[in-house]
Amino acid sequence: MITGLGAITPLGVGVPDLWNGLVEGRSGVRPLEGAEFDGQPVRIAGTVPEDPAGLLPRPQARRMSRASQFAVIASREAWRDAGFAVSGTVESGIDPSRVGVSVGTIIGGAPVLVDGDRRLRDKGPRGVSPLTAPMTVPSQPAAQIAIDLRITGEARTVVSACASGTEAIGQAIDRIRDGHLDLVLAGGTEAAITPSVMASFAAMRALSTRNDEPERASRPFAKDRDGFVHGEGAGLLVLEAEEHALARGAHIYCEAAGWGLSADAHHLAAPDPSGDGIVLALRRALADSGSVPGDVVHVSAHATATVDGDLAEATAVRRILDERGAPSPEVPVTAVKGNLGHLQGAAGAVAAVVAALTLDRGHIPPTIGCDDPDDACELDVVRHVPRPLPSAGDVVLCNSFGFGGHNAVLALRRDRSDRAEEGEAA
């Protein structure tokens, strides 16, 4: 069960800023400031509007990378949202050995490494902080969350390109389902907007070049899409065993019902245009959750706004939805990257936060940037205004795909149990 949500994104600090920004159709994509980005072919990104270091005690913030700062801030919000004391597990009356952390990231410590290299060139070896190496490794966000909340069960890190956050949540589902843990803080974080990373993506021709219209640059499923917008942020969710959540009277957003993985085994960066690998991950997520295509009520698409990526995903999703049989109403699809850009290792986790809210609140935020949908994608993309979540069906599929052919899909299920009905009646 998902009982707590936390996020820090280009739309602001906290889940309310994220949700309200999505519902209102706002964009968090901005021009990149600073001389280090002068001369770059792409000078826009989805950046968090507030310095995360200012939201933490100074001594603590100085020992964290920006990605770790994002992760700790989002985890505190999720922990508090689940009804726990923000001071930690012990103060919340929970056995810390039965709680875990599972965080996905790709190169979250990249800015620390870039700064260390600059200091080495400018000041020599004595100018490099001894914290540079430990702050750079990808496992630091998970470790910092565990330290902050005194979680001793485990602190694991998943690195599978842009599927990292989704896979981290999937692994948390398994750890709870198999009885190893009662509760896991799971999600993803990323803060890798550096000149070299931006230049590399631009050289790949993967980024949108709409520098003059940043708020309209990211265009998922649009006919005129021209690449993704790099972004940063974090999304963390509290996943909890059902009996544990019920025993303490927790609010349940939805059920984390299952997940699926696959590998394209096709190309270092390009997706398999057939969509076969994605279809396999979608089918595995449905099977793992005990669902069938007819149960799908909504799809939260990966949809980075690259020409080939969006088409491959749409092809795969269409194949699954067509298996529902006829006549069947169209399943609404949405993509949050129009608002946020592509948050890399955090993308799937933030999308999962939004999907949980969609199931809980009963309406779907619109996809912005898709003013002229690509007919070749053949999907019912929610656009312009929010749409009520259909009553038929109870499963949301959340897609994440990464360079190298990493495919991960979450299946979240609407809570339709007696306790939900009793809560609504109350």
Side-chain angles (χ1 to χ4, degrees), residues 103-408:
V103 177
T105 190
I106 308 174
I107 47 175
V112 177
L113 192 61
V114 169
D115 182 64
D117 187 63
R118 183 186 299 117
R119 289 174 179 270
L120 179 64
R121 291 197 309 269
D122 294 346
K123 301 180 181 180
R126 291 183 178 273
V128 179
S129 167
L131 295 173
T132 298
M135 287 170 60
T136 299
V137 297
S139 60
Q140 273 302 293
Q144 292 286 4
I145 292 172
I147 292 168
D148 188 61
L149 295 173
R150 288 190 282 176
I151 294 170
T152 63
E154 60 186 39
R156 60 174 56 210
T157 299
V158 177
V159 182
S160 53
C162 302
S164 299
T166 297
E167 186 172 345
I169 297 170
Q171 290 194 13
I173 293 173
D174 282 351
R175 298 299 285 170
I176 293 172
R177 190 159 51 188
D178 293 343
H180 298 289
L181 299 167
D182 296 325
L183 186 149
V184 181
L185 266 164
T189 187
E190 204 72 67
I193 301 176
T194 67
S196 59
V197 171
M198 291 292 297
S200 175
F201 282 143
M204 293 171 59
R205 298 184 179 179
L207 295 179
S208 172
T209 57
R210 292 186 171 94
N211 292 313
D212 296 333
E213 45 182 352
E215 293 185 352
R216 300 186 65 252
S218 182
R219 302 184 179 189
F221 295 125
K223 189 176 297 184
D224 57 354
R225 64 190 184 276
D226 71 331
F228 72 83
V229 173
H230 194 18
E232 64 177 5
L236 270 293
L237 303 87
V238 173
L239 274 67
E240 193 169 352
E242 182 177 12
E243 59 274 15
H244 193 274
L246 293 177
R248 65 184 190 87
H251 171 71
I252 295 174
Y253 286 96
C254 63
E255 178 188 356
W259 67 304
L261 285 177
S262 72
D264 279 355
H266 174 74
H267 189 273
L268 177 64
D272 181 350
S274 73
D276 288 348
I278 296 173
V279 167
L280 180 58
L282 289 164
R283 285 184 175 149
R284 285 177 169 170
L286 287 170
D288 192 50
S289 64
S291 305
V292 296
D295 296 326
V296 178
V297 68
H298 170 47
V299 177
S300 173
H302 183 62
T304 63
T306 61
V307 174
D308 294 338
D310 284 14
L311 184 57
E313 179 178 14
T315 299
V317 170
R318 186 75 263 161
R319 284 167 60 184
I320 292 296
L321 296 182
D322 285 347
E323 292 175 4
R324 294 174 302 148
S328 296
E330 282 295 323
V331 171
V333 176
T334 195
V336 299
K337 291 180 181 65
N339 309 79
L340 307 174
H342 187 4
L343 307 191
Q344 308 293 315
V350 170
V353 168
V354 177
L357 287 169
T358 295
L359 284 168
D360 185 62
R361 299 185 179 183
H363 56 278
I364 306 165
T367 301
I368 69 169
C370 188
D371 296 331
D372 187 10
D374 185 353
D375 293 338
C377 291
E378 296 186 286
L379 295 175
D380 180 20
V381 180
V382 179
R383 301 184 298 129
H384 306 310
V385 295
R387 188 187 301 182
L389 190 69
S391 58
D394 60 3
V395 170
V396 172
L397 296 174
C398 300
N399 300 340
S400 292
F401 316 120
F403 284 157
H406 298 278
N407 303 313

